[in-house]
Amino acid sequence: MLDPVLLRKDINFVVTQLARRGLSFDVERFNKLEATRKEIQIETENLQAQRNTLAKEIGKLKSQKLDASEVMAQAAQIPEKLKQLEEKLNSVKNELDSWLMTIPNLPHESVPFGKDSDDNVEQRRWFPDGGYQSDREPAPFDFEVKDHVTLGEKLGLDFDTAIKLSGSRFSFMRGGVARLHRALAQFMLNTHTAEHGYTECYTPYIVNASTLYGTGQLPKFKEDMFWVTKGGDDIDAEGNVIPKEEMYLISTSEITLTSLVKDSIVSAADLPIRLTAHSPCFRSEAGSGGRDTRGMIRQHQFDKVEMVQIVKPETSYDTLEQMTAHAEKILQLLKLPYRVVLLCTGDMGFGSAKTYDLEVWIPSQNTWREISSVSNCEAFQARRMGARFKNEQGKNEHVHTLNGSGLAVGRALVAVMENYQQADGSIVIPEVLRPYMGGLEVLKP
């Protein structure tokens, strides 16, 4: 959520920054709400002062054994008036908070202006045989390239069974390809915990709405989620009807990892907090417009290894570079060509102040495809969650939260299959994955 203090002090800055994201902020609406809030607060403070004055007067009259009934009658009316003002103030605050919950984060000054992905700015490219090299394309194969769907037909990647069980945008794996998928996740987790200092976590796959409001998925992106309803018809042990509640399948373990600090004051000595988890992710792909219906690129259910860091504000942009390097390291160890792209204002996520995408080379499409997105949300999520730490001045300050894919497991499987394919349809297993595959070097049809 945007900083209310910044809105009050420098609303023109907020308007300008949101305009960079293509959003028009309703200044008139905000000013009206602010004016109403101030009026109520002033009236409340005046009544509180009046209550204190009357209390003193009552005490004085009673000490002098004089009649205080008239003054007491005046004082007796104040609590009800204060209650009414409190209700009005809460109504104004709720309207403001509900509105601000739908407003995206402000972009960092270093984020380039742009309308969509065409305006993103490439930062660097990396190749297994040459390291960082700009203005180079991956070398072509000397045989006809197959996509991962065709390769997978004889390796255990079964989309027909998935469609029979669940519908489109699901996959079913068996045998070697299922093991390769698991190996990728284990390799990523081990690298992030052993080399990058993250603590491995296992988190719930279903969360309540409050959790999603905290990290920014709700209310704006409900249609992108899958959810279930519990309660309403069930009776508890005391015979009471259990209230109806919507529970949501997580679209990323960023949600559960970041929410670890929800409604808490973290010790400064405990920062930074580095967390990682492997989990399934569930997305409805609402608005995807039929894109990537073939194969594993865009699924309703997929696996991801997530990285989250919770840090002091002054270190968050160094942390963004560090986390991007952590994701890059996975691709380098897998020896997959990739590039790093800085997202423009029109393409960045709702809660992000700055985002880097890592895009891996997909030979069958002859293009780069996103495999990781690393974002600094600054205090945007922390304000929504109530996540703070005590700074050096002894004051409570919001933490900064960062998240990144380290990596999307299904897309990593696609990249490995296609980049390591052989003319006979077999897949060479990357060296770093062989210990997880029982020493197997080649996955054969």
Side-chain angles (χ1 to χ4, degrees):
M1 190 166 67
L2 298 183
D3 185 357
V5 176
L6 179 61
L7 277 164
R8 292 167 192 148
K9 287 185 175 180
D10 195 353
I11 195 169
N12 290 333
F13 173 76
V14 175
V15 169
T16 300
Q17 291 299 94
L18 289 175
R20 294 181 66 213
R21 296 194 64 148
L23 182 73
S24 176
F25 186 76
D26 191 341
V27 176
E28 183 179 357
R29 181 183 179 187
F30 177 78
N31 287 337
K32 283 182 178 179
L33 287 169
E34 264 299 284
T36 303
R37 180 189 67 82
K38 288 178 181 178
E39 288 173 7
I40 296 171
Q41 286 187 331
I42 290 171
E43 191 174 350
T44 299
E45 290 167 3
N46 289 339
L47 271 177
Q48 290 170 338
Q50 184 182 353
R51 180 183 57 187
N52 294 337
T53 300
L54 291 174
K56 290 179 182 179
E57 189 174 344
I58 291 169
K60 183 179 179 181
L61 289 170
K62 286 186 175 182
S63 69
Q64 296 174 355
K65 297 182 179 181
L66 297 174
D67 182 14
S69 58
E70 185 177 339
V71 181
M72 290 174 67
Q74 293 179 45
Q77 298 175 16
I78 291 178
E80 181 60 29
K81 291 180 179 178
L82 285 173
K83 182 181 178 182
Q84 292 173 359
L85 287 172
E86 183 181 7
E87 290 173 353
K88 287 182 181 179
L89 183 61
N90 286 337
S91 177
V92 172
K93 286 182 175 179
N94 288 338
E95 182 180 349
L96 180 60
D97 287 347
S98 296
W99 177 33
L100 292 182
M101 281 285 190
T102 68
I103 306 298
N105 202 357
L106 304 182
H108 188 261
E109 59 185 8
S110 62
V111 175
F113 173 76
K115 293 182 178 180
D116 52 36
S117 59
D118 291 337
D119 296 318
N120 294 339
V121 180
E122 183 176 320
Q123 305 293 292
R124 52 190 177 272
R125 295 184 182 189
W126 187 91
F127 297 89
D129 60 351
Y132 290 108
Q133 294 180 329
S134 59
D135 301 324
R136 174 190 163 184
E137 296 292 334
F141 285 70
D142 57 6
F143 56 86
E144 185 177 352
V145 170
K146 300 180 181 69
D147 69 7
H148 69 283
V149 178
T150 304
L151 290 165
E153 286 174 352
K154 297 180 180 180
L155 295 171
L157 184 55
D158 184 352
F159 293 102
D160 291 337
T161 296
I163 289 172
K164 181 171 64 176
L165 296 174
S166 305
S168 61
R169 296 190 188 274
F170 289 91
S171 57
F172 191 104
M173 301 179 219
R174 62 169 70 87
V177 76
R179 188 175 186 181
L180 182 57
H181 184 267
R182 173 166 58 88
L184 281 161
Q186 289 181 295
F187 159 67
M188 293 173 194
L189 276 178
N190 285 355
T191 303
H192 291 317
T193 54
E195 297 186 23
H196 299 154
Y198 292 82
T199 298
E200 182 176 351
C201 302
Y202 173 85
T203 82
Y205 300 158
I206 301 178
V207 296
N208 56 37
S210 172
T211 300
L212 293 170
Y213 274 95
T215 51
Q217 280 73 25
L218 290 181
K220 189 173 179 62
F221 299 106
K222 181 176 180 178
E223 296 307 314
D224 293 328
M225 310 289 294
F226 285 106
W227 67 89
V228 294
T229 303
K230 71 171 187 176
D233 298 323
D234 298 328
I235 307 296
D236 64 18
E238 285 74 36
N240 301 312
V241 176
I242 299 173
K244 186 176 180 181
E245 182 183 10
E246 286 182 348
M247 302 288 289
Y248 295 79
L249 280 69
I250 60 172
S251 55
T252 165
S253 58
E254 167 208 336
I255 294 165
T256 43
L257 294 175
T258 306
S259 296
L260 182 70
V261 294
K262 178 183 177 184
D263 297 324
S264 63
I265 299 175
V266 182
S267 170
D270 291 336
L271 298 176
I273 297 172
R274 298 177 181 174
L275 307 170
T276 187
H278 166 222
S279 76
C281 306
F282 304 90
R283 298 184 184 179
S284 70
E285 293 298 338
S288 62
R291 290 176 295 163
D292 300 310
T293 54
R294 177 177 169 84
M296 295 184 67
I297 294 294
R298 197 177 297 274
Q299 298 263 281
H300 288 314
Q301 175 187 315
F302 60 96
D303 281 39
K304 184 153 65 80
V305 172
E306 186 72 8
M307 306 177 293
V308 161
Q309 289 206 40
I310 298 152
V311 304
K312 296 177 182 178
E314 61 268 23
T315 66
S316 67
Y317 278 95
D318 288 337
T319 302
L320 177 63
E321 302 298 328
Q322 177 193 71
M323 290 179 67
T324 303
H326 291 165
E328 286 187 72
K329 185 66 174 180
I330 300 295
L331 289 169
Q332 291 173 7
L333 291 171
L334 289 171
K335 296 183 178 179
L336 293 170
Y338 70 89
R339 68 176 186 170
V340 180
V341 176
L342 174 59
L343 300 195
C344 70
T345 54
D347 196 37
M348 58 198 294
F350 178 79
S352 174
K354 184 175 182 177
T355 297
Y356 291 112
D357 272 7
L358 273 63
E359 298 178 349
V360 70
W361 182 253
I362 303 297
S364 67
Q365 298 181 8
N366 197 40
T367 193
W368 309 92
R369 296 303 301 264
E370 178 197 338
I371 195 169
S372 172
S373 189
V374 187
S375 299
N376 185 359
C377 297
E378 295 186 355
F380 186 81
Q381 291 178 322
R383 281 190 207 95
R384 299 167 75 108
M385 293 190 299
R388 297 167 293 169
F389 77 104
K390 200 169 290 293
N391 63 25
E392 293 180 357
Q393 290 73 42
K395 295 181 179 180
N396 291 336
E397 183 178 354
H398 287 107
V399 297
H400 279 195
T401 61
L402 300 96
N403 63 80
S405 313
L407 307 163
V409 181
R411 292 194 178 190
L413 178 66
V414 170
V416 167
M417 290 175 68
E418 294 203 9
N419 282 279
Y420 280 86
Q421 66 178 293
Q422 304 298 295
D424 62 358
S426 63
I427 309 293
V428 174
I429 306 298
E431 289 183 18
V432 291
L433 297 182
R434 292 174 188 175
Y436 303 91
M437 298 288 291
L440 187 68
E441 297 183 2
V442 181
L443 200 61
K444 298 180 179 180

